[in-house]
């Protein structure tokens, strides 16, 4: 199982690298657009659309790293009421399994949408349209890897999740 954790970590880091590159590209476009607008009075008409696309891709590609590190927003009120580590681990495993199933179902929908957009050549509805399948594919990649991470956490968690590290309150 340790090897599977290492593979998921590497894949997540690869998607995080792509997310970082999209952020860098968006930053360069903002910088270039500012120079073009105020330096040459020629704004980049396509800039805002492409920046929006890049920001969406950045978020979608970073999801697996957040899943792996327990970095998502969580509501831990139920965890606070559970006595002991064993019940918290059980709850974490059940929620991880439910999350994996939910993401797997979303992946099926996204796979169908990606293939449909690929076949039809559907584009985004903006001034600078791009193929829609790019975004569906990025969403599929992020959700599929997150589903695998949740499944591994449900079956055999290697390290404690963020919810299990919740400190005990002294009353």
């Amino acid at each position: 199982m340790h090897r599977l954790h290492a593979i998921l970590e590497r894949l997540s880091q690869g998607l995080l690298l792509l997310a970082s590159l999209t952020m860098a590209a968006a930053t360069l476009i903002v910088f270039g657009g500012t120079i073009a607008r105020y330096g040459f009075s020629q704004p980049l008409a396509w800039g805002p659309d492409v920046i929006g696309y890049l920001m969406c891709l950045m978020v979608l590609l970073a999801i697996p790293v957040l899943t792996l590190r327990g970095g998502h927003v969580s509501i831990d009120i139920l965890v606070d009421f559970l006595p002991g580590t064993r019940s918290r681990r059980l709850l974490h495993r059940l929620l991880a399994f439910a999350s994996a199933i939910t993401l797997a179902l979303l992946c099926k929908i996204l796979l169908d949408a990606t293939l449909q957009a690929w076949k039809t050549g559907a584009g985004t509805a903006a001034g600078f349209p791009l193929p829609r399948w790019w975004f569906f594919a990025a969403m599929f990649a992020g959700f599929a890897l997150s589903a695998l991470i949740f499944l591994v956490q449900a079956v055999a968690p290697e390290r404690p999740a963020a919810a299990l590290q919740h400190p005990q309150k002294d009353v």
Side-chain angles (χ1 to χ4, degrees):
M1 198 54 77
H2 176 69
R3 186 173 180 177
L4 183 56
H5 277 275
I7 291 169
L8 293 173
E9 178 76 37
R10 282 197 178 140
L11 289 171
S12 296
Q13 289 297 326
L15 290 181
L16 183 62
L17 175 62
L18 290 175
S20 300
L21 291 174
T22 61
M23 182 63 174
T27 302
L28 288 174
I29 293 169
V30 168
F31 179 74
T34 302
I35 298 297
R37 175 182 298 273
Y38 296 108
F40 303 105
S41 296
Q42 294 291 321
L44 301 176
W46 51 269
D49 287 341
V50 172
I51 291 167
Y53 298 144
L54 290 172
M55 297 301 274
C56 288
L57 287 174
M58 179 190 67
V59 169
L60 295 170
L61 295 171
I63 288 171
V65 162
L66 291 172
T67 303
L68 194 63
R69 296 179 183 168
H72 291 291
V73 173
S74 65
I75 301 170
D76 57 4
I77 190 167
L78 187 57
V79 174
D80 289 342
F81 288 115
L82 292 176
T85 305
R86 178 177 260 171
S87 58
R88 290 179 182 170
R89 281 198 178 121
L90 177 62
L91 178 63
H92 177 263
R93 285 181 156 186
L94 290 173
L95 292 174
F97 186 72
S99 297
I101 296 298
T102 302
L103 286 170
L105 292 172
L106 286 172
C107 283
K108 168 64 173 116
I109 294 167
L110 284 168
L111 182 60
D112 292 343
T114 302
L115 294 174
Q116 182 67 22
W118 171 276
K119 288 177 189 173
T120 63
T124 56
F128 187 73
L130 291 175
R132 212 179 255 183
W133 70 267
W134 291 1
F135 302 99
F136 290 148
M139 195 180 306
F140 176 83
F143 285 2
L145 188 51
S146 291
L148 286 174
I149 292 167
F150 276 129
L151 186 60
V152 168
Q153 289 175 353
V155 174
E158 185 172 280
R159 53 188 148 182
L164 299 178
Q165 297 171 355
H166 189 72
Q168 292 290 328
K169 292 184 176 81
D170 294 328
V171 180

